[in-house]
Amino acid sequence: MLIVCCAGMWSCSSHRLEEAQATVATADSLWHNGQSLSDSAQLAQAYHTLHRRRAVYPDEYAHACYHYGKLLRAKDDPVAAMQCFINASHSRTHDYHILGRIYSNMGSICHLAGEYALSYDMYERCADMYLCNGDTLLHYYGLNNMAYELAEQGKKDTCLSLISVIKKHTPHDNVLMAYCYMTEAQAFLRCHQYDSTIHYAHKSQCFYSPISSVTLQLAQAFSSLSIKDSSVFYASRVLLETNKLFERNNALFILTNDDDTKDKVAIRKTAADRADTQKQIEIQRSKSSQAVQLLEQDFTQKPNLWWLYSILITLAFVGTGIIIYVYRKRKRQALLVQKLELLQQAASTIQNKNEELTECYMQNHKQILEDINNKCSMLQDPDKIKKTLAWKNYNKMCVIVDKQFYLLASKLRSKQILNETEIRICVLTLLDCGYDQMAELLYRSSSSIGTLKMRVAKKFGTSSKQLRQYLIENECIK
């Protein structure tokens, strides 16, 4: 009998689970088509059934919470709706899109209660969920909702900074741009900058016109500027465009105070309508405040599982420490061996390259030295020097010397420490000419050549005997 009872209960439970899953699937399908499941009893049954199995079916449970919570909001029960949304936020689902929708609804309830800071936090979580889901467009809609809550708090600069980020990344989405301009208009309205409010409200309508909040912003701005005909015009449009209590209440206030065309009877009727609307707002705000209290309690009331967490954390630390120690020790040994091999290879490669470069340098040095000495031996005679080097034409001589002796003349002239005669002395020294040959070519006495050569050598920080070697090593070869 026990087995039969258990089997019967299991069969019944399984049947209810299948019905709950089918109800959620139907609600999802209608939702994607822009509709909603209106059977509250069916949704409630699915919600309670999946609540008992939320650990096994977190995704289906989160969807059930969302649809049931939306239905409760539509039936003006924000307290029960908030409880559904709170349960969904703890479902451990990885369906970030549905979590974004849930946090958006929670933010909306907080906004209706006038808790703009808490509403900002909920919209921030909403935007993060959309970003985790990879839906950047909805992410920026969430950022705009955050900016609107900042505007309601009078934090204009922070609001405008956030809006500029949205505009930078989504300039081609007209609807989102319209809401961004609406948010900017609200920020300026809260800061009593009514001209700017009108400017941004009109820009919002250029992108997407049927937003009743924008129409109300225009009515409020014109009313504050005492432009009554315009404020009455836009306030009348608000009553035609929306059934939102807050917006209708503000519009009725403007019509009560700014409409000079109505008689006393009409004004009294408008005032009475506003009084009725205010009563409904108070009821709605009271319910929303109770819902917000549920949310705040959820933030503060956490299960006291510190003992379990401490044990798990201790075990995790010990186990992780041991694993890390063994892993690092093995990895360190492997790295040391690998580094040693790499260093040996690098040292061998560097040594080989150094030997190749040294050999190449020595060969190049030897070739240049032989080339210089060969050319110098061919130009020992003063007449050959005059003819081959165009000795009398200084500039032309420098060009020829550069071609023959590796830019020697240009290098000497670039130092700007030698005059023409001293540069000629350097050329003749390189050619290994004697003092008599130098004197003949420079039209000086042989005795003055030694003094001149010594002066040039001193400028280079060497001696007369080492001057030729210095010119070859430091000016021709380098």
Side-chain angles (χ1 to χ4, degrees):
M1 287 181 64
L2 180 62
I3 293 172
V4 170
C5 290
C6 290
M9 291 174 63
W10 177 262
S11 175
C12 181
S13 177
S14 177
H15 179 68
R16 286 182 179 178
L17 175 62
E18 291 175 358
E19 285 184 346
Q21 291 175 326
T23 300
V24 172
T26 303
D28 283 340
S29 178
L30 291 171
W31 170 44
H32 292 310
N33 290 325
Q35 301 173 359
S36 59
L37 184 62
S38 58
D39 191 340
S40 58
Q42 192 176 0
L43 266 178
Q45 182 64 42
Y47 165 72
H48 291 297
T49 301
L50 289 168
H51 180 76
R52 293 190 291 269
R53 297 167 177 81
R54 57 189 180 277
V56 183
Y57 303 99
D59 293 343
E60 290 89 343
Y61 176 61
H63 280 253
C65 290
Y66 171 66
H67 295 303
Y68 190 44
K70 274 182 61 181
L71 183 62
L72 290 170
R73 282 197 69 190
K75 292 183 177 295
D76 198 23
D77 190 358
V79 179
M82 179 64 82
Q83 188 60 61
C84 287
F85 296 140
I86 292 172
N87 292 339
S89 67
H90 296 309
S91 63
R92 295 195 179 97
T93 180
H94 293 291
D95 189 338
Y96 297 112
H97 179 82
I98 204 69
L99 284 175
R101 298 279 182 178
I102 287 164
Y103 282 120
S104 178
N105 276 270
M106 295 165 77
S108 177
I109 294 173
C110 294
H111 178 85
L112 291 174
E115 298 290 341
Y116 302 125
L118 187 56
S119 179
Y120 175 89
D121 293 338
M122 294 299 101
Y123 283 129
E124 184 177 21
R125 296 188 185 191
C126 166
D128 292 341
M129 292 299 105
Y130 287 139
L131 191 61
C132 290
N133 194 51
D135 195 331
T136 54
L137 182 60
L138 287 179
H139 169 70
Y140 288 118
Y141 272 100
L143 292 183
N144 179 68
N145 290 334
M146 293 164 56
Y148 193 87
E149 298 308 315
L150 292 172
E152 290 285 19
Q153 298 174 67
K155 299 178 181 179
K156 185 186 72 174
D157 294 336
T158 312
C159 170
L160 297 181
S161 176
L162 189 55
I163 289 296
S164 65
V165 173
I166 302 171
K167 287 182 179 179
K168 180 180 177 182
H169 293 89
T170 57
H172 303 299
D173 190 285
N174 289 342
V175 177
L176 180 55
M177 293 300 292
Y179 279 102
C180 286
Y181 283 117
M182 180 196 74
T183 301
E184 289 180 302
Q186 189 68 16
F188 285 110
L189 182 64
R190 287 287 176 261
C191 294
H192 309 293
Q193 298 177 12
Y194 303 114
D195 290 335
S196 298
T197 301
I198 294 169
H199 169 72
Y200 285 104
H202 281 310
K203 291 193 74 171
S204 175
Q205 289 185 333
C206 290
F207 282 94
Y208 183 70
S209 57
I211 304 178
S212 57
S213 298
V214 176
T215 309
L216 178 61
Q217 288 170 348
L218 290 169
Q220 291 175 318
F222 281 119
S223 179
S224 298
L225 293 172
S226 298
I227 306 176
K228 294 186 176 182
D229 55 344
S230 296
S231 66
V232 170
F233 170 75
Y234 285 110
S236 300
R237 280 184 53 187
V238 170
L239 297 179
L240 297 174
E241 290 176 359
T242 183
N243 290 320
K244 295 178 181 178
L245 294 177
F246 285 91
E247 294 180 2
R248 292 183 67 85
N249 177 59
N250 289 324
L252 289 169
F253 174 79
I254 293 171
L255 292 174
T256 302
N257 293 278
D258 291 357
D259 193 352
D260 297 331
T261 63
K262 291 183 178 180
D263 56 17
K264 291 183 179 180
V265 176
I267 293 174
R268 287 174 182 170
K269 184 181 183 307
T270 303
D273 291 341
R274 181 170 180 263
D276 294 338
T277 305
Q278 284 181 317
K279 289 180 181 178
Q280 295 178 34
I281 288 174
E282 288 302 321
I283 295 171
Q284 184 186 70
R285 179 165 287 175
S286 175
K287 292 180 179 179
S288 299
S289 296
Q290 293 176 30
V292 169
Q293 288 177 1
L294 276 180
L295 181 60
E296 291 173 342
Q297 290 173 7
D298 180 68
F299 288 153
T300 56
Q301 292 180 357
K302 300 294 181 182
N304 189 11
L305 299 175
W306 63 269
W307 59 272
L308 177 61
Y309 293 148
S310 60
I311 294 174
L312 292 176
I313 290 171
T314 303
L315 292 174
F317 270 113
V318 173
T320 304
I322 295 172
I323 292 171
I324 291 174
Y325 174 78
V326 174
Y327 174 77
R328 285 186 174 178
K329 192 171 183 181
R330 291 181 178 177
K331 190 174 182 180
R332 192 177 299 166
Q333 291 176 349
L335 283 173
L336 287 174
V337 173
Q338 187 178 4
K339 285 182 179 179
L340 183 61
E341 292 176 355
L342 289 174
L343 286 173
Q344 290 175 347
Q345 292 176 2
S348 177
T349 303
I350 292 171
Q351 185 177 359
N352 293 335
K353 287 185 177 179
N354 185 45
E355 291 174 356
E356 291 175 2
L357 289 172
T358 303
E359 184 179 356
C360 181
Y361 173 79
M362 295 302 295
Q363 290 179 355
N364 188 45
H365 183 278
K366 184 177 180 181
Q367 289 177 357
I368 293 174
L369 188 60
E370 288 177 358
D371 182 56
I372 291 172
N373 289 330
N374 290 335
K375 291 177 180 177
C376 289
S377 64
M378 294 169 57
L379 295 171
Q380 292 295 319
D381 185 64
D383 293 331
K384 287 185 179 180
I385 292 173
K386 290 178 181 179
K387 183 177 179 181
T388 305
L389 299 182
W391 187 254
K392 293 183 179 181
N393 188 334
Y394 175 70
N395 291 326
K396 190 173 181 180
M397 180 207 74
C398 288
V399 173
I400 296 171
V401 168
D402 282 345
K403 290 181 180 180
Q404 297 295 326
F405 298 102
Y406 305 94
L407 301 175
L408 174 64
S410 294
K411 293 176 182 178
L412 294 174
R413 292 171 78 180
S414 67
K415 294 181 181 296
Q416 298 182 353
I417 60 172
L418 304 176
N419 56 33
E420 178 181 339
T421 302
E422 291 171 339
I423 290 175
R424 288 179 181 273
I425 277 288
C426 290
V427 174
L428 294 175
T429 300
L430 180 68
L431 296 176
D432 203 17
C433 295
Y435 281 16
D436 293 334
Q437 291 175 319
M438 292 183 185
E440 179 182 349
L441 290 168
L442 296 174
Y443 303 104
R444 289 175 174 266
S445 63
S446 298
S447 59
S448 65
I449 294 298
T451 303
L452 183 60
K453 188 175 179 182
M454 186 181 298
R455 186 174 67 196
V456 173
K458 186 177 286 188
K459 288 184 178 182
F460 289 121
T462 185
S463 62
S464 298
K465 291 182 179 179
Q466 298 295 326
L467 182 58
R468 183 173 186 271
Q469 188 66 25
Y470 173 87
L471 291 173
I472 292 173
E473 296 291 340
N474 294 279
E475 303 300 335
C476 292
I477 294 177
K478 282 189 179 180

